[in-house]
Amino acid sequence: MALSEAQHSGRTVRRADEIRETDTVRHVDELSEAELSAFLAGIDGGVSSPAPLESGEVIVFTDYFRVQ
């Protein structure tokens, strides 16, 4: 899958085109080890244990990514 959209443990990680004031935004450096592993696997299209990320969160990495 492309970097811009990847399926991971029932969640989709996509580049976020816009960020709303109500969005929860976290920088990749704020993620726990488990959250970081799930996020990186999600953008790489990999498969691992269920993602501990919440739907709707926006993660700042090399771009803005929304977990869905």
Side-chain angles (χ1 to χ4, degrees):
M1 288 186 181
L3 178 64
S4 61
E5 181 178 335
Q7 183 73 28
H8 176 70
S9 302
R11 301 261 191 237
T12 302
V13 177
R14 297 181 180 183
R15 287 190 199 276
D17 295 324
E18 62 181 73
I19 309 303
R20 300 175 297 263
E21 286 185 35
T22 57
D23 285 335
T24 299
V25 179
R26 294 196 291 161
H27 193 274
V28 72
D29 292 344
E30 298 174 304
L31 301 178
S32 69
E33 285 186 40
E35 291 169 329
L36 178 60
S37 293
F39 174 73
L40 293 175
I43 62 172
D44 286 339
V47 175
S48 65
S49 61
L53 301 169
E54 295 295 319
S55 181
E57 280 189 276
V58 176
I59 309 298
V60 181
F61 186 44
T62 54
D63 208 338
Y64 289 85
F65 292 86
R66 184 176 312 279
V67 178
Q68 297 181 316

